[in-house]
Amino acid sequence: MSQLYRLNKDGYINRDKKISFVFNGKKYFGYEGDTLASALLANGVHLIGRSYKYHRPRGLFGAGVDEPNAKVQLYRGTETEPNANVTEVELVEGLVAKSQNCWPSVYFDFGAINNFLNKFFPAGFYYKTFMWPKNFWYKVYEPIIRKIAGLGVAPLTPDKDRYEHKYEHCDVLVVGSGPSGLGSALSAGKNGARVILAEDKPRFGGSLLTDEVTIGNKKGNEWANEVILQLKSMPNVTVKNRSQVFGYYDHNMMVMFERTKDHVENPKKFTPRQRLWYIRAKEIIISTGSIERPLVFANNDRPGILLASAAKEYMKVYGVLVGNKPIIFTNNDSAYETAIEFKKNGINPIIVDTRESSDNSVVKEAKNLNIEIKFSCGLANTRGYRRVNLATIGKFNSDKSGYEKLENISCDCVCVSGNWTPTIHLSSQSGNKLKYNDALNAFIPNQQKQNETTIGSAKGSMTLKQSLEEGFSKGFELSNKITNNNLKNTAPTSNERNYGQHDKFWCMPLPKKKNYKRFVDFQNDVAVSDIELAIREGFRSIEHIKRYTTLGMATDQGKTSNLNGLQLVSNIERKIVPEVGHTTFRPPYTPVTIGTIVGREVGKHYRPTRKSPMHEWHEKNNAVFVDAGLWLRPRYYKQEKETLLEASTREAINVRKNVGVCDVTSLGKIDIKGPDSAEFLNRVYTNAWMKLPIGKARYGVMLREDGIVFDDGTTTRIAENHYHMTTTTAQAVNVLAHLEYYLQVVWSELNVNVVSTTEQWAGAALAGPNSRNLLSKLFPENDVSNENFPFMGYMESELFGVPARIFRISFSGELAYEINVQSSYGIFMWEKIIELGQEMNIEPYGTEALSTLRIEMGHVAGSEIDGRTISYDLSLEGMLSKKKDFIGKRSLIREAFTNPKREKIVGLIPLDQKTMIPEGSHLVKDGNATLPNPKLGHVSASCWSAEYNNPFSLAILQDGKNKIGEKLFAVSPLKNRNIAVEVVSSHYVDPKGERVRS
Amino acid sequence: MQRYSIFSLIKNAFSNHENWDVAWKDPEPKKEYDVVIVGGGGHGLATAYYLAKEHSITNVAILEKGWIGGGNVGRNTTILRSNYMWDANGLFYEYGMKLWENLSQELNYNVMYSPRGVINLAHSDAQLNTFARRGNSMRLNGIDAVMLNREELKKMIPFADFSSARFPIFGGLMQPRGGTARHDAVAWGYARGADSMGVDIIQHCEVTGFNVQNGKIQGVQTTRGNIKTKKIGLCVAGNTSLLAAKLDMKLPIESHVLQACVSEPVKPFLDHVVTFGAGHFYCSQSDKGEMVMGGDLDGYNSYAQRGNLPTLQHVLSEGLAMFPNISRLKMLRTWGGIMDMSMDGSPIIDKTHIEGVYLNCGWCYGGFKATPVSGWTFAYTIAQDRLHELNSKFKLNRFNTGHLIDEKGTATKVWLG
Amino acid sequence: MLEIKCPYCGKRSQNEFSYGGDANLKRPELGKEVSDKVWDDFVYYRSNPKGKHSELWHHVSGCRQWFKVSRNTATHEIFKTSKLDEEL
């Protein structure tokens, strides 16, 4: 199909390169440099989608990020994107787009029934109904409403694209490349500052791309082009297009996304789709320009009705006519530019101006071109379902409350202009409290809060001359604060048409006895009557009105609607706009792809994976891994078709019978040095540390200041003033910060240093009756007899030439040792252990067997030290020193902590000796009692005892101390279990702890 | 009160909706009230409503410094649940769920209670066990809870990452009756209900001081004059410490900002509320189609109702770890709310050492779902001058006695706030 | 994202640091009898001001030093940072 509305001149598109695309199943052509919007318009397509609530036909309204209507479902290869803004989608070969929120098609949409019933759906109607019968909201009404709502369709498969992040610093960040932005970037750059210039659109220049102006002796667009080339040649300046600065965060942290892929026809494999820039700038120049405001009138939402500035942009940038029979409807001079542009292209527009007259130069020029102008008129209504085809023009009565006479004029587009709204989003996000400018009828920035400076039309300086002057002078001034180079540049002279004051009249009266919708927010279908209703019902704060009517809450975030809404409220309430106030501007300025915000932390890279140096060995030996914090640890080593329970029981039995080896690298390790180390440990742990001899280890428990158990582990005295502390895997990071806090903040008088050595040591635990025999094979030159190397002993040696630390400590309750070597020798150590252990039937064991071993020994771990238990509960009260003070001790005397009936750790055995008690079960007197059934305690850990070949569990039980021997029920309603159990001691195996000392 | 129904809606449609009454009035403050509620948020409005409804105390004023419903009741992620482990919380919130179930009818205002199920995903057997402990506790308290395995979850949320996740999904705990409600409607519904029974809702009226004599409250000073009263209830979560300071009270509370965000609306694909167990992310899809998402605190004391992007980046990375398909959706709106972070993560609803001053605070992240039951119990406490069984554990002095209610086991470390 | 000047390393972005709460909290002296009130105030009670707040930060992804920051909790403006033994 040919591009009927394409002019044969003008625009920055590449007419040599034709691009095909598909919209709603039909193939069209555009040119390289088109947006999807301009290409559709070139083909005469205005109807793009349906509105949110009433499913009214909607077309293109703007040409940029302010577009409220034209959102489509986009398909590129295998990926799809909902709610793509057609004014921002650059045309590439093979693009497929579809209208959304309509069924079966955008031309005929069943949802449009809502439009005929719109009388029954005013603002907030859903709060007033759907309440009967009670369950129908969730079962009937809500599912229907959910289906009707929503716009596009979310992909249901993972995004294959890649997103990247970049961190950057600069002296001056300039946001927006219109005349003021270009001027300031050039001026700051020439003064030696490190400058980043960011432009949201593919093309630099802003209004210079469309305005008939001259700067120096050049046309505006040529000047912009030259400045950009100049900036690009400067090593201290970075120029970025397709880059939207969307957030102004604390301490001048600006965040920007750059579109790097979707506009490229054949992107390279690893090209990221978008890049997120975190930019810390010393000075921020906000030259974001302004957005044209719509006028509000009956049926102002039809396809073909659009902003005058957008119509001009389509002509000037893309060489596209938005129609052949245009009506320009305005309350100000700027829209005359659009009319003149039409005229130049051989089209005869009619201007409808709400003002009585205007004689500024641009108006005179229009008159000279014989353009028909109807002053003191407004659009009273429009017609045309899928595209506007008729406008009812009304001559105002004297107070503009109605029309003296109406006249129908056929048309195929209406270009509206209700004056300009400065884009103050970033300025406001910086903390700047905005002020109202009466001349503009808009908010502009006020007192600076951070290092932000707003210039040009974003600040309300609406002429080119002002914009250039502000740009050049602020660019110099702000850069000079940093560089002190004093290289001043002054703004070039410029020439532009003059505009006068706009008419502060923007909401047209309805024709007599008519109830047409006059839309303020197009996408969310918020009409004047909705705002009137909200106020009538007492929703008077602007935030209430926004929430009740959903004004400004659509995907365009009210860029074209917010101010009109405010003005309407101020009119109804007879207040001035600043008294009504405005809703808060928050990031993001435009919607940001979630993948872009996240970057590369996706899939397996969501968080780092920590692996021990022996990881590959575990993999080769069929280890099944478990996440332990960021670490991957072998849970069990699977043989043939074993289940988890079979494998872990096998491994645990082998430890009890022979010897096993377990990778304990992930345990936290902290090196402690300094003359006050013993004193420090004495304060940190609940037990005594002053007399620990060199070469000995000791088990310790630490509390939080609130008395709750924080962590446990062993600490070994390696030398006079040198200790090696171990922590649990889970708390390693927190314990280090905890120690640093006390050493630096609380007890700075202590001369102690701590440093994490977790990654420096690979650890292997040998456990089982054969472990000493194996140790002697590993260290043939050392005497590892019980006498020479007793329980809690420590020695340093060499493992076949590799320096090693050997600890005689045990978590399994068996005779056990832990060997540490430098990480890089971890695999060497491990393989030696396996090799020499063969004759003793060594088997590696994982965390599940480890868990079994510790449970039946009654050793506590993470499932008991759960941040809610105190030493007493865990039967660790014997380790609370009475002689000294320590962290958290003072909290232990509180009422709840000294209650003699407090919880206590106990063991449980099912009466049938067979049924495993699910972890997370609760203990009750009567498993079948009525609810709520009082709980006496809970099952914290369960295992199949390797020693006794029956189930055994640990539980934390109220008054557990006095309940040994009692029969209770362990219930798990979730699993429908009710198991009769006997309460026994938590030390099920080797209660006297003889094995570890044997 | 003008009743809302489909019939009144149709009737009013024919008069162009020009005959609707105001939802609540805008009165001038009187000189004296029986009870003054400070804070026109969800909890304050609900408290006033139940004072009038349950205790026939109607000479009540709600003083709101801004506009009602502008605090946390209007800036949350709308989740309702009672999936708590400790009895003190479980029974309290469960009573709240029962109030939610009838709230639209009770208030004659559609609060859109949607029991779509709240699913907590677990990413290890150990986590499943801690969830089992909680779920079993719920069941023994008569609260609904079910365990879901991977296969069941695959049917419910097939787009979640079941194949290449860093922390694979092992299963989940679901409270089927948990769900969402329309947050603004809750505030407005209570406001309309309270107003209709005679409560004065006074907006743009900031409390600047208190008159206390001989340990008894006599009245409040406000930006709109002095108001006498013998009873005053503080419902100003986020700013409780500031008002308490005017009463020379220090509280076990820090104010922190919690951010949330929504995506652009899309057609429905997520029918439940789902939380990510290997992080703090939670999300649901609103009736409008927006993904409503939240996560973790920004991490430092804050009274600014806005946060910083790295926290959102972190939270959304958790979101993509759970639902990798939402990567191409766009984040539309972000906001922050100021949380009263109490030191054990549970609220305080109690009397104070000043006669006639009642405290309702410390809601942490969970205040929205508590709105009805918080108002209900607080109204009881104010009216009867004693605690109800349901809030009997939410005493201020539990921080002195050690009877803490720590759901997560992560309570205060002095240096971690 | 805040920009915090570590007194040892210089200005860094907030994501290198972790927060440590009220810097005015004084841990009661070890081994000394203190009243319940003094102890509970230390463990649980916070002044939590809106406005100027002296607080601790920890340069966890840097020099691992704790230090003091004076910050406005309403605007996040940072007035000053100092080493622990210096006046803020």
Side-chain angles (χ1 to χ4, degrees), chain A residues 774-822:
Chain A
L774 176 54
L775 194 73
S776 68
K777 295 263 156 63
L778 291 164
F779 300 95
E781 281 159 30
N782 294 97
D783 176 0
V784 296
S785 66
N786 199 24
E787 296 69 40
N788 194 54
F789 192 30
F791 182 51
M792 287 294 179
Y794 166 75
M795 65 165 71
E796 290 172 12
S797 182
E798 286 193 350
L799 177 77
F800 300 99
V802 174
R805 291 173 165 185
I806 315 164
F807 307 83
R808 188 172 164 189
I809 53 178
S810 177
F811 188 51
S812 57
E814 287 298 327
L815 170 65
Y817 302 89
E818 196 178 310
I819 307 172
N820 282 0
V821 296
Q822 287 172 36

Side-chain angles (χ1 to χ4, degrees), chain A residues 80-328:
Chain A
T80 184
E81 181 189 349
N83 310 342
N85 204 355
V86 298
T87 58
E88 295 180 86
V89 174
E90 292 179 62
L91 206 60
V92 286
E93 189 63 42
L95 200 69
V96 177
K98 251 169 87 176
S99 296
Q100 48 188 33
N101 203 31
C102 50
W103 185 84
S105 82
V106 71
Y107 309 104
F108 180 80
D109 173 17
F110 274 113
I113 185 131
N114 288 2
N115 188 33
F116 294 102
L117 300 174
N118 69 43
K119 201 175 207 164
F120 304 105
F121 304 140
F125 73 97
Y126 30 72
Y127 299 124
K128 295 186 174 115
T129 181
F130 304 133
M131 288 179 279
W132 188 88
K134 200 173 104 181
N135 291 330
F136 267 43
W137 169 253
Y138 175 61
K139 295 207 168 119
V140 180
Y141 305 128
E142 189 184 42
I144 296 172
I145 288 175
R146 280 169 81 81
K147 262 195 195 139
I148 296 171
L151 293 171
V153 179
L156 291 175
T157 52
D159 189 348
K160 290 185 200 72
D161 265 310
R162 151 200 296 256
Y163 301 87
E164 288 186 351
H165 284 187
K166 187 176 167 77
Y167 292 79
E168 193 59 86
H169 289 78
C170 68
D171 295 329
V172 181
L173 170 66
V174 180
V175 188
S177 72
S180 61
L182 286 174
S184 57
L186 186 65
S187 175
K190 281 189 168 173
N191 197 26
R194 288 178 307 153
V195 175
I196 297 175
L197 173 66
E199 168 59 45
D200 154 42
K201 292 199 166 183
R203 295 175 189 82
F204 297 98
S207 60
L208 295 176
L209 293 173
T210 55
D211 287 0
E212 290 291 319
V213 295
T214 58
I215 300 175
N217 50 7
K218 300 186 189 78
K219 288 178 119 183
N221 58 343
E222 289 166 2
W223 181 82
N225 207 18
E226 254 176 50
V227 172
I228 284 295
L229 288 175
Q230 210 176 343
L231 288 169
K232 281 183 175 166
S233 73
M234 293 162 76
N236 54 329
V237 177
T238 304
V239 177
K240 282 279 155 197
N241 55 343
R242 300 188 175 89
S243 295
Q244 178 75 264
V245 178
F246 65 85
Y248 197 130
Y249 291 91
D250 288 309
H251 302 173
N252 300 306
M253 173 59 89
M254 309 298 289
V255 191
M256 166 172 108
F257 68 82
E258 180 190 1
R259 302 184 296 276
T260 44
K261 184 178 174 187
D262 286 351
H263 64 282
V264 182
E265 196 171 312
N266 291 306
K268 293 200 187 94
K269 194 177 170 193
F270 294 112
T271 302
R273 180 166 177 239
Q274 295 190 359
R275 184 177 287 123
L276 188 81
W277 294 56
Y278 279 101
I279 304 171
R280 182 87 66 186
K282 291 192 181 118
E283 297 289 340
I284 289 128
I285 293 181
I286 299 171
S287 48
T288 44
S290 49
I291 291 176
E292 199 166 25
R293 281 203 291 277
L295 291 167
V296 176
F297 51 98
N299 293 311
N300 56 340
D301 65 325
R302 301 192 189 282
I305 302 178
L306 76 172
L307 290 172
S309 58
K312 188 172 72 172
E313 186 167 336
Y314 287 118
M315 285 187 273
K316 299 282 283 188
V317 176
Y318 303 100
V320 170
L321 279 176
V322 298
N324 290 325
K325 286 192 332 198
I327 289 175
I328 315 291

Side-chain angles (χ1 to χ4, degrees), chain B residues 236-297:
Chain B
V236 289
N239 292 298
T240 314
S241 296
L242 304 179
L243 276 178
K246 294 184 199 293
L247 289 160
D248 290 325
M249 286 172 71
K250 210 185 203 184
L251 296 173
I253 282 175
E254 282 188 2
S255 295
H256 285 258
V257 65
L258 178 67
Q259 294 189 73
C261 63
V262 296
S263 75
E264 294 187 345
V266 285
K267 292 291 174 193
F269 70 96
L270 174 63
D271 298 328
H272 306 88
V273 180
V274 187
T275 74
F276 180 58
H280 297 94
F281 180 80
Y282 46 85
C283 82
S284 65
Q285 190 175 11
S286 73
D287 290 345
K288 205 177 165 189
E290 298 167 335
M291 300 294 288
V292 185
M293 304 177 278
D296 217 351
L297 298 175

Side-chain angles (χ1 to χ4, degrees), chain A residues 590-602:
Chain A
T590 58
V592 190
T593 303
I594 289 174
T596 309
I597 297 171
V598 173
R600 299 290 295 276
E601 290 178 354
V602 289

Side-chain angles (χ1 to χ4, degrees), chain A residues 557-601:
Chain A
Q557 292 277 287
K559 289 183 179 64
T560 55
S561 64
N562 277 341
L563 208 62
N564 279 342
L566 280 182
Q567 297 197 56
L568 184 62
V569 174
S570 72
N571 287 358
I572 298 168
E573 293 270 69
R574 296 179 200 287
K575 281 181 185 170
I576 53 170
V577 174
E579 279 177 2
V580 175
H582 57 82
T583 56
T584 317
F585 293 94
R586 297 178 197 287
Y589 170 59
T590 58
V592 190
T593 303
I594 289 174
T596 309
I597 297 171
V598 173
R600 299 290 295 276
E601 290 178 354

Side-chain angles (χ1 to χ4, degrees), chain A residues 52 278 536 592 868 919, chain B residues 17 129 288 313 331 407:
Chain A
Y52 191 84
Y278 279 101
R536 189 176 303 133
V592 190
R868 306 174 187 100
E919 293 176 358
Chain B
H17 300 285
N129 290 336
K288 205 177 165 189
Q313 180 188 323
M331 181 179 85
E407 279 287 329

